Amino acid sequence: MKRSVEGRFLRRLLKWFRGHRRSFPWRETTDPYRVFVAEFMLQRTGAQQVLPVYRNFIEQFPDLRRAAQADEDAIRRTLRPLGRVKRYKVLARALGLLAATSEGRVPRSLGRLLEIPGVGLYTARAVLVFAHGRRLGLFDPNIYRVISRVFGLSSSRPRAHTDPVMWSTVDRLIPRGMSREMNLALLDFAAAICRLKPRCPTCPMNDICDYYRRTGT
Ligand code: SF4
């Protein structure tokens, strides 16, 4: 990636984000338990679909202790609108394990987070970024779409989110002290502008974007 393009991309992204930031309750907290619950629900599920489910869940189980004491059936009923039937079992196991270990706290280390059922690299990093402000990039197919289009990069792996080169590429994009803001900006930009069907003509990146230069669409 060219440093000059990278710098312009980051400056414009932050400027765009300040006028278009999406607001969700899990973005207004750094409580590790609430961040964990939100990130778990957001796995392969859109934020708007998660919103009422998250609100209801937090109302019923406002902290880890109460969530871990809940029976599986109560968690199943709360998660049912998400439509992924087996997920409640994994969440119930994860919450039970969290309450039983780490002194009832969500771990602060990547290795420990990855030991929790249902937690992959994205979710573990998201907890570290949004609850603990760690300087790490998040990388999923949406962020890959943005990065690959703007910088003309592509992963050598069929599943780019398993590519360590891509993870370190996105890590390098995160300025010191701005991990939370920059990751949210990337997520929102991918959702609003650089969508599957991109909105290039009105995009603030179009004069620096490799994809737009090549396709003009
Ligand atoms: Fe995405 Fe188009 Fe913007 Fe490039 S110009 S970042 S492809 S929306």
Side-chain angles (χ1 to χ4, degrees), residues 149-150 189 193-194 198-200 203 205-206 209 211-212 217:
R149 284 174 175 169
V150 175
F189 186 74
I193 305 287
C194 198
R199 298 178 168 170
C200 302
C203 174
M205 308 296 176
N206 60 19
C209 175
Y211 177 89
Y212 189 62
T217 56

Side-chain angles (χ1 to χ4, degrees), residues 29-46:
T29 180
T30 54
D31 176 338
Y33 160 71
R34 294 185 180 207
V35 171
F36 178 86
V37 168
E39 291 302 329
F40 190 93
M41 290 183 182
L42 287 163
Q43 292 171 1
R44 279 169 278 161
T45 310

Side-chain angles (χ1 to χ4, degrees), residues 107-175:
R108 297 174 73 103
S109 88
L110 190 65
R112 298 280 305 279
L113 280 163
L114 289 170
E115 289 169 5
I116 300 168
V119 174
L121 196 51
Y122 181 96
T123 302
R125 279 177 166 240
V127 170
L128 294 176
V129 168
F130 298 130
H132 303 302
R134 288 271 297 279
R135 187 184 177 191
L136 294 167
L138 300 180
F139 189 69
D140 70 359
N142 297 325
I143 291 177
Y144 178 56
R145 188 173 64 241
V146 176
I147 303 294
S148 63
R149 284 174 175 169
V150 175
F151 299 108
L153 302 174
S154 60
S155 171
S156 56
R157 296 196 178 185
R159 295 165 74 226
H161 65 281
T162 65
D163 187 344
V165 175
M166 288 291 131
W167 280 96
S168 57
T169 300
V170 81
D171 276 349
R172 282 202 310 274
L173 277 178
I174 307 299

